[in-house]
Amino acid sequence: MELIAIKAFTDNYIWMLHKDGQAIVVDPGDAAPVLHALKERRLELAAILVTHHHADHVGGLAELAPLLRQTETSPPIYGPAAERIPGPHIALAGGDRLSLLGQALRVLEVPGHTAGHIAYLIDAPSDGGEPILFCGDTLFSGGCGRLFEGTAAQMYNSLQTLAALPGGTRVCCAHEYTLSNLRFACAVEPGNKVLTDYQRWCEAQRAMDLPTLPSSIGRELAVNPFLRCEEVEVRHSALQWHDQHLTHGTSLIEPTPAQSALAAGASSIAVFACLRQWKNEFK
Ligand code: ZN
Ligand code: FE
């Protein structure tokens, strides 16, 4: 069994898992790099997994579908039930289980980036290695997806679901956003030594044109500010940004309820919402 990150567009990864000449791919936004990878390794495409409906994740479906063996109902293309995925596919929801390449997969519901976003988890891969998570645009190394359709509370809860997985879980994200995420993470937590060490390692990887992924849940718990909303330094930085941000637009007013709430032990969701907003504006 081999797990490969196929590069697509400028910073997407289409994850491929293959075993005994059969491959599955996750979020093929573009068919060409997948076709190339299949040919290079003489693999047959056995199934396609889709995490959410964005074009950079489904754009290659139409061209790849004919490569799949047609089953009675539908070609083995799997996608979230709550989203519109182009072409015939099997609709999945949280808790669903499937078996591919002799691997048991389970579906996690992780709304936030999009309303029906799902992730795929292999708890016990047959290579005897750590679990494998395909999380699309929900969790990135050092960051998380933007809130296009969901709320901060939904995304926070989705990330908590992923954070609860075993620390060794291989985190296969759909984008190589790590370095820019880590620049932000360092602004939030300049005192995090694990973070600065990891940043140096990632810079070296990228300098050699190598992926920084897969990451692991354990590492993300140590470096990713969006999984660290309980940490004092993270809360403090989020609050400080929130204060400065508000003073610009609305000077000389009493602290808003949101501000005082954050100061006085705001929920982690409020901290998360601040971080997400801050990251959106971070240059
Ligand atoms: Zn997306
Ligand atoms: Fe994407």
Side-chain angles (χ1 to χ4, degrees):
M1 179 198 273
E2 194 189 7
L3 178 64
I4 301 163
I6 301 171
K7 289 205 268 183
F9 307 116
T10 49
D11 51 27
N12 282 66
Y13 288 128
I14 299 167
W15 289 92
M16 174 189 267
L17 189 66
H18 71 87
K19 188 176 178 267
D20 305 328
Q22 302 279 307
I24 56 176
V25 293
V26 185
D27 288 348
D30 190 6
V34 174
L35 293 170
H36 180 81
L38 291 168
K39 201 174 157 198
E40 200 176 40
R41 295 173 175 81
R42 297 209 178 86
L43 300 170
E44 208 179 311
L45 186 60
I48 297 175
L49 306 178
V50 172
T51 63
H52 68 293
H53 69 85
H54 284 160
D56 64 317
H57 299 251
V58 302
L61 286 181
E63 204 179 328
L64 293 173
L67 270 65
L68 295 162
R69 209 174 300 125
Q70 183 75 36
T71 61
E72 271 168 48
T73 44
S74 164
I77 298 176
Y78 301 86
E83 297 194 355
R84 283 169 74 141
I85 303 301
H89 64 278
I90 298 154
L92 300 172
D96 282 349
R97 287 164 190 276
L98 47 150
S99 173
L100 296 168
L101 309 182
Q103 316 296 307
L105 284 89
R106 86 191 149 92
V107 177
L108 306 173
E109 234 155 77
V110 286
H113 176 67
T114 59
H117 200 303
I118 58 173
Y120 299 86
L121 179 70
I122 305 175
D123 287 292
S126 65
D127 66 355
E130 298 286 352
I132 300 172
L133 171 70
F134 299 112
C135 54
D137 288 354
T138 300
L139 175 63
F140 295 125
S141 186
C144 71
R146 282 175 186 260
L147 306 179
F148 285 122
E149 297 170 9
T151 64
Q154 281 179 320
M155 187 56 136
Y156 177 81
N157 290 325
S158 296
L159 291 173
Q160 288 299 113
T161 301
L162 302 182
L165 298 174
T169 303
R170 291 174 264 183
V171 179
C172 303
C173 322
H175 289 272
E176 179 62 69
Y177 288 161
T178 313
L179 287 185
S180 81
N181 286 338
L182 294 183
R183 272 200 310 112
F184 174 72
C186 287
V188 177
E189 261 191 304
N192 184 339
K193 172 83 166 68
V194 180
L195 169 60
T196 47
D197 286 350
Y198 177 53
Q199 186 181 36
R200 221 166 298 129
W201 179 82
C202 290
E203 279 165 358
Q205 288 290 106
R206 298 306 295 142
M208 294 184 285
D209 200 28
L210 293 172
T212 59
L213 303 169
S215 185
S216 70
I217 290 295
R219 171 182 287 157
E220 292 311 310
L221 286 172
V223 304
N224 191 325
F226 296 97
L227 300 184
R228 296 170 60 75
C229 298
E230 324 271 313
E231 294 294 320
V232 174
E233 195 179 14
V234 173
R235 295 178 67 87
H236 179 80
S237 294
L239 172 61
Q240 214 171 32
W241 176 82
H242 188 264
D243 285 354
Q244 287 166 359
H245 184 73
L246 275 196
T247 354
H248 280 294
T250 55
S251 54
L252 304 171
I253 56 156
E254 292 296 309
T256 66
Q259 269 176 302
S260 11
L262 199 59
S267 72
S268 297
I269 293 172
V271 173
F272 173 81
C274 278
L275 286 178
R276 190 53 265 180
Q277 186 61 34
W278 180 7
K279 175 69 166 67
N280 290 350
E281 296 168 23
F282 188 75
K283 298 254 166 15

